[in-house]
Amino acid sequence: LDGHQLHQISKDGNALNETWTRDAIVLAPGERVEVLVQAGPAGTYAFRTLPISVGINTQQDTVLATLVVDGDAMTPQPLPTTLLPLEDLSTADIDERRQITFQFSPPIGPHQSIFWIDHQQFSGDRDDQVVRLNSTEEWTIRNASMSWHPFHIHINDYQVVAVNGRPVPVRYSEDTTGVPP
C-alpha cells in the first residue's frame, strides 16, 4: 500500500501471536492475510501487487484498489502488540515424520496442468496421507517443479517451523503456504 505499512494480525483466519509490521506480503494462491493500516496524510494511495516471477508465471505490477484518506488528521490509536497466545510446535515431540514431494507439468492446454504428489497424479478421490488423531507430525515438503506451488491440506492448520532447513519464527498456524522450487 503506497505510503503505508501493513500491520499483519492474522493469516488464513488464524490470529498471529503478535502484530507483524511489513512493507509487502507475498501470498500464494489461496492464502489470506488480515492487516491493520493506520491512514497517512490526506491523499490517494494505490494498493497494488508487486511484480514477481514464480517460475512459469509472472505477476505484473497491478493496482488492486485505491485508498482515499480525507478529513482532519487524528492521533492514531496504538496498534496492538500481542494478540492471541500460540502453542509453538517447533519443540514438540514428533510422533511421525513424512517427506512429501510436489511436482506439476507445464500447462498442456488453457488452464490444464497435471499435478503430482509423491509421483502419483493428484486425485481428489484418493487420500494419500492419513494422520492419527492427537498426534504431532513433521512433514518435509519438497517442491520438485520449476515454479512456486501452494501447499494446502484442506482440513487442518499447521505451522511452518523451517524453510530449507533454517528455523523460522513461529507466528501463527497456516492453511496455505507458498513453497518455492
Side-chain angles (χ1 to χ4, degrees):
L1 179 59
D2 292 349
H4 294 79
Q5 286 191 308
L6 306 172
H7 305 283
Q8 186 176 341
I9 59 170
S10 181
K11 180 173 185 300
D12 297 331
N14 298 302
L16 275 65
N17 58 351
E18 60 187 16
T19 303
W20 186 9
T21 300
R22 307 170 74 185
D23 292 322
I25 301 171
V26 176
L27 298 176
E31 248 182 313
R32 306 161 315 276
V33 297
E34 293 78 30
V35 298
L36 299 175
V37 174
Q38 291 180 316
T44 302
Y45 303 92
F47 180 58
R48 65 180 72 243
T49 64
L50 297 175
I52 184 172
S53 179
V54 291
I56 61 171
N57 298 314
T58 299
Q59 172 67 52
Q60 302 298 320
D61 181 343
T62 304
V63 174
L64 298 173
T66 302
L67 171 68
V68 177
V69 178
D70 193 14
D72 296 331
M74 300 176 67
T75 302
Q77 293 293 313
L79 291 166
T81 53
T82 58
L83 299 168
L84 295 177
L86 173 73
E87 179 184 7
D88 181 347
L89 299 176
S90 66
T91 59
D93 291 331
I94 304 300
D95 298 307
E96 185 167 345
R97 288 178 166 77
R98 299 173 195 246
Q99 291 191 351
I100 299 166
T101 300
F102 289 121
Q103 289 179 286
F104 67 92
S105 304
I108 56 175
H111 310 290
Q112 291 180 316
S113 293
I114 298 175
F115 297 93
W116 304 85
I117 301 174
D118 290 335
H119 308 290
Q120 294 185 75
Q121 188 170 346
F122 172 77
S123 170
D125 297 327
R126 183 183 69 238
D127 293 325
D128 294 327
Q129 306 295 331
V130 177
V131 177
R132 193 170 32 98
L133 185 63
N134 296 321
S135 65
T136 301
E137 294 195 0
E138 180 180 278
W139 291 17
T140 300
I141 307 301
R142 181 174 176 261
N143 179 358
S145 67
M146 300 298 291
S147 184
W148 282 70
H149 191 281
F151 172 73
H152 175 74
I153 56 176
H154 299 272
I155 303 285
N156 299 318
D157 293 329
Y158 53 86
Q159 291 177 2
V160 174
V161 299
V163 175
N164 292 328
R166 294 187 187 105
V168 296
V170 175
R171 294 185 166 100
Y172 43 75
S173 293
E174 302 192 40
D175 176 72
T176 304
T177 304
V179 180

